[in-house]
Amino acid sequence: MPTHPIVQIKPLGFPWETVDPFLFCVYHDDAYPQGNAQMGPNASLAGRDIGQDFSRKDGWSMYHGAEVPGFPAHPHRGFETVTIVRKGLIDHSDSLGATARFGRGDVQWLTAGQGVVHSEMFPLLDPAGPNPLELFQIWLNLPARNKMAAPHFTMLWSPDIPRLSATDDQGRSTEVAVIAGRLDRADVAAPLPPPPDSWAAQTDADVAIWTLRMAPGARWTLPAATGADTQRQLYFFKGASITVAGQAVPAGSAITLRAGADVALLNGEEAAEFLLLQGRPIGEPVAQHGPFVMNTRAEIAQAVDDYRRTQFGGWPWPDSAPVHGRDPARFARHPGGREERPADGAAS
């Protein structure tokens, strides 16, 4: 008797649970109001724990921001962040001297390695209407040999991210955006190779990061992963219901799948959206203390000491929560001054 492709189903929490080689995944979906002169919310902040606001009061949070929502300067060591911005904008600044404004489908892949300090602020540029923000931030572990690699960041601009559009025999569509990995049967691969020290850069790591959108009633078969030891999770975060390999699954579910099997998906009556994370486990001990992820407690103690002594190179910006003005143009300015912009235009 064949083994069922579903290993387990769990409700989504905050953050979402992940499995090796992933450490963490958080989904932000904030309905920010119109912006004020400081590019923060034009609304009262009364009743919020400013600096630590995860309340979702009125459908949004300030997080660690005081005037502009977001995450002012904070350190990372020993892992990577992959930030997928589906709506709104993020203003990035870091201790390497790099800055960026990205969003509207763009992705930033940041290897923290031996240590970086960065801020991630959410400027609200529309003073007359709502400023929705929707994003995933995924933490991907680094193997021990690359924990102390030099920091590195890559921009994957939305126009460059390959998207598969498949249509079933009833004309209903499924769209897959390939941020990492390869959708082999359609010969669709990620737009750029992962950063050089990433676990995803290993040819046998079988790392994939995809987003999926299925039209109401659409059918699509998720193809099997290529690696024998690959682990795979499908996060069903928007929609009403889905049938996975013949089993009904409610929205708001994390579905652990047997990666070596094709999996038939049949959507329900509403459009449905998913995030897929997969990869071969690194299989090493994980020691974590907040934004530091190493292999031993001694390495964590060293990371804390290094940060206290060096601030991972220091903070070159005039405040801890920089925003990059009112021009909505997306850009990335790398250490050393090289600048890049998306091909679809500044403010599209």
Side-chain angles (χ1 to χ4, degrees), residues 3 29 53 59 88 116 141 220 231 265 276 290 323 326 342 347:
T3 304
D29 188 8
D53 174 37
V116 68
N141 201 8
W220 187 66
Q231 300 197 95
L265 305 177
L276 178 134
V323 292
R326 290 200 164 273

Side-chain angles (χ1 to χ4, degrees), residues 285-348:
V286 173
Q288 180 171 357
H289 178 72
F292 305 137
V293 182
M294 304 301 289
N295 296 99
T296 68
R297 299 311 301 177
E299 290 169 338
I300 291 291
Q302 185 65 57
V304 171
D305 183 61
D306 289 348
Y307 178 61
R308 286 173 177 161
R309 287 186 302 102
T310 70
Q311 298 294 295
F312 294 160
W315 187 246
W317 310 107
D319 62 75
S320 66
V323 292
H324 304 325
R326 290 200 164 273
D327 183 350
R330 290 137 58 212
F331 70 92
R333 191 171 296 115
H334 293 256
R338 180 175 69 87
E339 188 166 309
E340 60 175 307
R341 293 179 181 267
D344 61 349
S348 63

Side-chain angles (χ1 to χ4, degrees), residues 198-239:
S198 177
W199 182 244
Q202 306 299 308
T203 56
D204 61 348
D206 202 20
V207 170
I209 301 172
W210 304 342
T211 60
L212 293 74
R213 186 184 190 278
M214 299 183 73
R219 295 175 181 269
W220 187 66
T221 298
L222 175 66
T226 58
D229 301 322
T230 300
Q231 300 197 95
R232 171 180 272 185
Q233 288 190 289
L234 185 66
Y235 300 91
F236 179 21
F237 66 94
K238 277 190 180 180

Side-chain angles (χ1 to χ4, degrees), residues 91-107:
D91 280 359
H92 164 94
S93 306
D94 68 36
S95 55
L96 307 174
T99 58
R101 169 167 282 175
F102 63 100
R104 301 176 181 143
D106 302 327
V107 178

Side-chain angles (χ1 to χ4, degrees), residues 125-327:
L125 299 189
D126 189 344
N131 287 272
L133 177 82
E134 184 185 9
L135 66 91
F136 304 105
Q137 186 166 93
I138 300 156
W139 289 16
L140 175 60
N141 201 8
L142 286 167
R145 64 180 179 273
N146 293 334
K147 289 283 189 188
M148 297 296 284
H152 179 91
F153 91 84
T154 299
M155 290 303 310
L156 309 178
W157 301 109
S158 181
D160 302 324
I161 294 173
R163 292 171 171 85
L164 165 72
S165 184
T167 304
D168 65 20
D169 58 7
Q170 299 296 312
R172 294 163 176 156
S173 65
T174 296
E175 297 176 358
V176 185
V178 179
I179 293 150
R182 174 180 290 274
L183 190 50
D184 281 313
R185 292 179 195 174
D187 196 27
V188 175
L192 292 171
D197 296 297
S198 177
W199 182 244
Q202 306 299 308
T203 56
D204 61 348
D206 202 20
V207 170
I209 301 172
W210 304 342
T211 60
L212 293 74
R213 186 184 190 278
M214 299 183 73
R219 295 175 181 269
W220 187 66
T221 298
L222 175 66
T226 58
D229 301 322
T230 300
Q231 300 197 95
R232 171 180 272 185
Q233 288 190 289
L234 185 66
Y235 300 91
F236 179 21
F237 66 94
K238 277 190 180 180
S241 62
I242 188 82
T243 300
V244 180
Q247 181 171 337
V249 178
S253 294
I255 310 160
T256 303
L257 298 171
R258 299 190 192 281
D262 290 352
V263 180
L265 305 177
L266 170 60
N267 192 20
E269 297 180 352
E270 297 180 12
E273 299 197 58
F274 309 83
L275 172 71
L276 178 134
L277 299 180
Q278 74 170 44
R280 180 167 65 84
I282 294 172
E284 296 175 351
V286 173
Q288 180 171 357
H289 178 72
F292 305 137
V293 182
M294 304 301 289
N295 296 99
T296 68
R297 299 311 301 177
E299 290 169 338
I300 291 291
Q302 185 65 57
V304 171
D305 183 61
D306 289 348
Y307 178 61
R308 286 173 177 161
R309 287 186 302 102
T310 70
Q311 298 294 295
F312 294 160
W315 187 246
W317 310 107
D319 62 75
S320 66
V323 292
H324 304 325
R326 290 200 164 273
D327 183 350

